[in-house]
Amino acid sequence: MTPQQRAAGKRLGAYLRQARGDRKPAEVAHAASISPETLRKIETGRLATPAFTTVAALAAVLAVPLEDLAQICLPELNLQQTG
């Protein structure tokens, strides 16, 4: 794993942790159909490259646009919304 991947994983995890707010990790994990341990690993950056389906499920549960998560993971792309 590259340093860039590790850094992106930490940014993603911190953002998801903030988006979770006061909700219990087990509640969010269950709603996203992942284990609480997987959520913990993502939030702490220990799982720096989670599967897309996992990220998409968390985004849906936390009401976070996938575009926001892409921008967090790949800020150098400077993604712009179209529409």
Side-chain angles (χ1 to χ4, degrees):
M1 188 174 317
T2 68
Q4 292 84 3
Q5 288 173 316
R6 281 195 280 284
K10 288 185 182 289
R11 288 191 307 271
L12 174 66
Y15 185 88
L16 291 173
R17 170 61 190 96
Q18 182 180 11
R20 181 168 56 82
D22 292 335
R23 293 176 68 179
K24 295 182 182 194
E27 173 192 334
V28 172
H30 177 71
S33 298
I34 62 173
S35 72
E37 180 60 21
T38 297
L39 179 59
R40 189 172 11 267
K41 286 179 181 178
I42 293 169
E43 287 185 351
T44 60
R46 292 185 328 195
L47 181 55
T49 57
F52 174 77
T53 54
T54 300
V55 174
L58 286 169
V61 168
L62 298 172
V64 174
L66 280 173
E67 294 83 8
D68 290 359
L69 299 182
Q71 184 63 46
I72 288 163
C73 292
L74 301 167
E76 64 277 6
L77 293 181
N78 193 19
L79 299 174
Q80 297 177 3
Q81 286 186 316
T82 60

